[in-house]
Amino acid sequence: MFTHLPDEKRASRTAATLLVLLALMLVLPSSVYAGKKKKLAPAKPEPVGPVYDPAKLDTTKLVWPEPPNIARIKWLNYYAGMKVDYTKAEKKKQKSSWMDRLAGSEQKDMQDVIKDFPFQMIGPTGIAVDSEGRVYVADPKVGAIFIFNTETRDVQLIRNGVEAKFGLINGLAMDDGDRLFVSDGKFRRVLVFDKDHHSIGIVNDGMVDPNGIALDKENRFLYVVDTQQDQVLVYDADSYKLLRRIGTSGKNHWLTDAGNFAAPHSVAVDADGNVYVTDTMNNRVEIFDAEGKFISQFGKHCDGPGCFARPKGIAVDADAHIWVVDQMLDAVQIFNREGQLLAYMGGHGNGPGTFAAAIGIAIDKDNRVFVTDQYPGRMQMFRYVTDAEAAAEKKKQEAEAEAKAGNSAAQKPAEVKGSTQAKAQNAAQK
């Protein structure tokens, strides 16, 4: 059923319509209402997620905390895999013909390109650094260990089916002789490689699901986190003999009391031999001495700074600060032994200093900090400014501020004196 308008309202609406059409004719270009077709540019899609332009971002000034505070963490670089040479694919495409496509040779050419394509990280996890500063990154999705020269960006590989046999690699650790220890969850073992990346040993006594690993170089202990068993297994790093276990097994991640775990993930050792474990499902860090005795714990479940949602990677710096990577919060947080939050960085994103499913962390002797995240698969490199360096920088800034204040005070009498002389000269001239 239609509604009929009164004549007055119909006339008013007709006039309004004519005014709108007239306004459009004045605004639109003549080619539109003259019948000439003009191709309009397609609308740009709205950006999805965080967007940044690396060319416009000055990463040399990317620090935490921000100025005027003294920087304690500096962003340096990121690594995603081997260098990509796209010219191979272009050359293959240029020599294609209709007969090649009919015979299927074009598909074979592309298979050759894919075969020769450089390895790129997809889901990097554990990290280790050797005595020469080369960084080792385990990627279970690729089935390879990437070895980065951080200066030249050259990459070597330890590949499944070529240099080694891997199932599901996770944690990495390096001893003072550059022996590399690699945990493998599928084959329930830890593989040992020499400095030339040759397999020289296997540790597998009592393991079910080996994950994060760490080495006590002084006491010669190898710590292996077994996530499924809710335990940390302690081995002799040279004989590979199982020495003891920390935690209670067989409770299906339900234990919450001190000294026990619920799906632990990673482990770290400080200079005094103390052991730090991320107890993931309990959202805490537990600390033990070199003999495996419980010392203390910290952490709580929440979603802000100082909180844990899914703590994974852990490392200890030169000042005995504890660095914890939280995969759900995509944050790296720094604590003291008492669990007091000292610094916080990160957040969800794919730009420098942000993370997407962050998981692994390592700190080397040069105070470089390495963090892996999953999406995109990459490793970011930071520089930790130590307590001594920060104190020296603060002292320098204070000295510069005092010198500047002294110069300003010395200039004021001269300015006043000059002003008085100028006034006297003007009076004499008058």
Side-chain angles (χ1 to χ4, degrees), residues 39-47:
K39 188 176 181 181
L40 299 177
K44 293 183 179 180
E46 290 295 325

Side-chain angles (χ1 to χ4, degrees), residues 11-321:
S12 176
R13 178 164 292 186
T14 302
T17 303
L18 291 173
L19 286 173
V20 171
L21 291 174
L22 179 61
L24 287 173
M25 292 179 67
L26 292 173
V27 173
L28 294 175
S30 58
S31 60
V32 175
Y33 56 80
K36 296 180 181 179
K37 293 183 179 180
K38 183 177 180 180
K39 188 176 181 181
L40 299 177
K44 293 183 179 180
E46 290 295 325
V48 178
V51 178
Y52 71 98
D53 185 350
K56 297 179 181 178
L57 181 64
D58 186 0
T59 55
T60 62
K61 297 180 180 178
L62 189 59
V63 298
W64 294 265
E66 296 180 352
N69 300 295
I70 295 174
R72 301 305 305 271
I73 308 169
K74 299 180 179 179
W75 190 89
L76 298 180
N77 215 327
Y78 81 95
Y79 303 85
M82 303 177 73
K83 297 176 182 178
V84 180
D85 182 7
Y86 294 100
T87 58
K88 292 182 179 180
E90 292 176 357
K91 290 178 181 178
K92 294 290 184 183
K93 289 180 180 180
Q94 290 173 358
K95 296 182 179 180
S96 174
S97 66
W98 70 271
M99 293 188 68
D100 293 330
R101 291 192 293 272
L102 185 63
S105 59
E106 183 186 39
Q107 184 176 358
K108 293 180 181 179
D109 289 344
M110 288 309 300
Q111 288 176 351
D112 291 338
V113 172
I114 294 171
K115 181 181 178 181
D116 297 334
F117 209 72
F119 278 73
Q120 301 296 298
M121 290 194 294
I122 300 176
T125 55
I127 312 168
V129 186
D130 68 14
S131 61
E132 298 180 5
R134 295 179 300 179
V135 186
Y136 295 64
V137 182
D139 193 319
K141 294 182 180 178
V142 174
I145 298 172
F146 291 77
I147 308 170
F148 294 98
N149 183 319
T150 57
E151 294 182 2
T152 64
R153 299 188 74 87
D154 290 334
V155 183
Q156 294 176 267
L157 293 166
I158 303 176
R159 297 162 292 180
N160 177 39
V162 182
E163 292 85 6
K165 183 179 180 180
F166 297 139
L168 186 66
I169 54 177
N170 291 302
L172 300 181
M174 188 78 64
D175 76 357
D176 46 8
D178 284 347
R179 284 189 305 164
L180 176 67
F181 292 74
V182 184
S183 66
D184 192 318
K186 181 178 180 180
F187 293 138
R188 303 183 177 189
R189 65 188 184 183
V190 171
L191 292 174
V192 187
F193 297 85
D194 64 15
K195 63 180 181 179
D196 297 317
H197 309 148
H198 299 137
S199 180
I200 58 172
I202 296 176
V203 188
N204 59 3
D205 186 7
M207 294 185 195
V208 174
D209 182 23
N211 209 325
I213 58 178
L215 283 162
D216 182 341
K217 300 175 184 178
E218 294 295 327
N219 295 312
R220 310 305 300 167
F221 294 149
L222 167 66
Y223 291 93
V224 180
V225 175
D226 195 307
T227 302
Q228 187 61 37
Q229 295 194 84
D230 291 328
Q231 290 183 321
V232 176
L233 281 59
V234 188
Y235 297 86
D236 185 296
D238 299 310
S239 68
Y240 310 149
K241 179 183 177 181
L242 178 62
L243 302 176
R244 59 180 173 271
R245 296 169 181 262
I246 304 174
T248 304
S249 182
K251 301 301 181 180
N252 297 320
H253 318 314
W254 284 107
L255 296 180
T256 61
D257 57 309
N260 281 311
F261 309 105
H265 187 275
S266 295
V267 58
V269 181
D270 68 14
D272 297 323
N274 296 310
V275 183
Y276 303 78
V277 182
T278 49
D279 189 5
T280 302
M281 296 301 292
N282 285 325
N283 291 293
R284 65 186 178 184
V285 170
E286 295 195 74
I287 307 173
F288 303 83
D289 65 15
E291 296 179 354
K293 296 178 181 179
F294 175 80
I295 297 175
S296 62
Q297 66 181 31
F298 65 87
K300 60 181 178 179
H301 181 226
C302 45
D303 59 359
C307 303
F308 292 138
R310 283 294 180 270
K312 291 294 182 73
I314 190 167
V316 182
D317 65 28
D319 296 317
H321 301 143

